[in-house]
């Protein structure tokens, strides 16, 4: 594939020699912030499943079954992540990395905020757990697109020889989001139990709305991936990116797989 402009040896495909480190740093920071806020929203659900949702949304079940149902709802988000990766992988290659990531952060922000507004089973009956599952599904799809998309955007902006460093920054967003969500619930748990059950637990979820605004503002300032711009100019967009991965990369992974699998413990293709 030919490239636009002079390419520096060791640079990722599509990275021009005039790539600015400041712009790359801004992109990596935006990816980190967006990922941290999305994982904050995502992991709030796990904490709430253990201490709130089992009592407010699955009240017709015994305590054990209610807890299992709450955690099953939590698991829906993980099952939905591959779907989000496929959808937003395609959108990222057709519309651009930046629009796809703006959609994911809005999706998870709105879904998380709406959980904070969702009435319990005592108010709207069986619609409450059904809507909770639906909102969790939206969260999972959004995170599935966010995780790979944020790293892709950071790597494609990275200067030569620093792709690993820039790819690591979005990864740090996951533990930061976990700490933020745990800290938010630790604060509201200081409230009296009656206040916590009625409105206190909702506050961390409602915080998703202003946090979403911050993430959208930061990401709107980010430039589109230079690699995607070159793909547009050369009309080399994949029609179905996931199929290309299985056709091209899968064979390479298979042939590199050792004859004795235990030799590859901890490694990836």
């Amino acid at each position: 594939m030919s490239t636009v402009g002079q390419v520096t040896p060791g640079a990722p495909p599509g990275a021009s020699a005039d790539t600015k480190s400041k712009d790359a740093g801004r992109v990596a920071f935006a990816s980190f912030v967006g990922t941290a806020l999305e994982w904050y929203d995502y992991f709030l659900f796990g904490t709430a499943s253990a201490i709130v949702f089992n009592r407010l949304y699955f009240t017709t079940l015994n305590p054990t079954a209610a807890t299992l149902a709450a955690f099953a709802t939590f698991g829906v988000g993980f099952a939905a992540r591959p779907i989000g990766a496929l959808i937003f992988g395609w959108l990222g290659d057709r519309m651009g990395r930046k629009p796809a990531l703006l959609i994911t952060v809005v999706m998870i922000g709105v879904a998380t905020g709406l959980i904070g507004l969702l009435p319990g089973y005592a108010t709207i009956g069986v619609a409450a757990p059904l809507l909770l599952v639906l909102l969790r599904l939206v969260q999972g799809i959004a995170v599935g697109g966010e995780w790979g998309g944020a790293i892709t955007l950071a790597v494609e902006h990275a200067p030569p020889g620093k792709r690993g460093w820039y790819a690591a920054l979005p990864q740090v967003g996951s533990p930061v989001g976990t700490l933020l969500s745990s800290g938010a619930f630790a604060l509201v748990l200081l409230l009296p139990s009656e206040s916590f059950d009625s409105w206190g637990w909702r506050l961390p979820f409602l915080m998703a709305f202003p946090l979403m605004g911050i993430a959208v503002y930061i990401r709107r300032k980010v430039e589109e991936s230079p690699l995607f711009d070159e793909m547009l100019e050369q009309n080399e967009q994949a029609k179905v990116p996931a199929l290309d991965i299985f056709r091209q990369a899968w064979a390479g992974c298979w042939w590199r797989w050792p004859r004795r699998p235990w030799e590859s413990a901890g490694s990836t293709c």
Side-chain angles (χ1 to χ4, degrees):
M1 181 180 73
S2 61
T3 56
V4 179
Q6 182 181 3
V7 177
T8 304
S16 302
D18 59 354
T19 300
K20 298 180 180 178
S21 295
K22 182 184 293 186
D23 293 338
R26 187 183 302 115
V27 171
F29 177 73
S31 297
F32 159 73
V33 171
T35 304
L37 295 180
E38 290 215 32
W39 282 107
Y40 163 83
D41 294 345
Y42 197 74
F43 284 123
L44 279 179
F45 202 104
T47 306
S49 296
I51 61 178
V52 177
F53 293 159
N54 56 330
R55 295 184 290 106
L56 297 184
Y57 291 95
F58 301 96
T59 56
T60 58
L61 303 175
N62 64 62
T64 301
T67 301
L68 291 175
F71 279 114
T73 305
F74 180 55
V76 167
F78 291 94
R81 284 171 60 181
I83 300 173
L86 289 172
I87 293 173
F88 287 101
W90 181 84
L91 286 176
D93 275 353
R94 307 303 296 179
M95 299 170 50
R97 282 64 159 134
K98 179 179 174 179
L101 289 175
L102 284 172
I103 294 172
T104 60
V105 77
V106 170
M107 279 181 61
I108 197 167
V110 171
T112 304
L114 289 178
I115 291 173
L117 299 173
L118 185 65
Y121 188 94
T123 304
I124 60 174
V126 72
L130 292 178
L131 289 173
L132 187 66
V133 171
L134 177 62
L135 292 172
R136 180 59 179 172
L137 183 67
V138 174
Q139 280 189 325
I141 291 174
V143 169
E146 165 70 24
W147 192 237
I151 296 173
T152 299
L153 189 65
V155 168
E156 290 180 350
H157 277 88
K162 295 185 177 180
R163 288 195 295 170
W165 169 257
Y166 284 88
L169 287 178
Q171 301 274 11
V172 178
S174 176
V176 170
T178 304
L179 292 174
L180 289 175
S181 62
S182 299
F185 259 106
L187 289 176
V188 296
L189 280 169
L190 298 176
L191 295 169
S193 58
E194 296 81 5
S195 299
F196 175 80
D197 286 347
S198 61
W199 56 268
W201 70 268
R202 300 179 184 273
L203 296 180
F205 287 91
L206 294 176
M207 279 296 297
F209 287 127
L211 293 177
M212 176 186 67
I214 294 172
V216 169
Y217 174 79
I218 293 175
R219 286 195 167 168
R220 283 177 59 88
K221 301 292 185 180
V222 172
E223 296 181 1
E224 183 54 86
S225 162
L227 177 57
F228 179 75
D229 290 338
E230 291 185 8
M231 289 170 57
L232 286 181
E233 292 178 5
Q234 300 175 13
N235 195 26
E236 293 187 355
Q237 297 164 281
K239 292 183 178 180
V240 185
L243 289 180
D244 287 350
I245 292 175
F246 283 106
R247 288 171 181 168
Q248 301 172 16
W250 183 264
C253 289
W254 173 258
W255 284 112
R256 286 195 295 271
W257 190 264
R259 295 182 181 274
R260 290 176 292 181
W262 55 86
E263 293 179 352
S264 66
S267 66
T268 61
C269 61

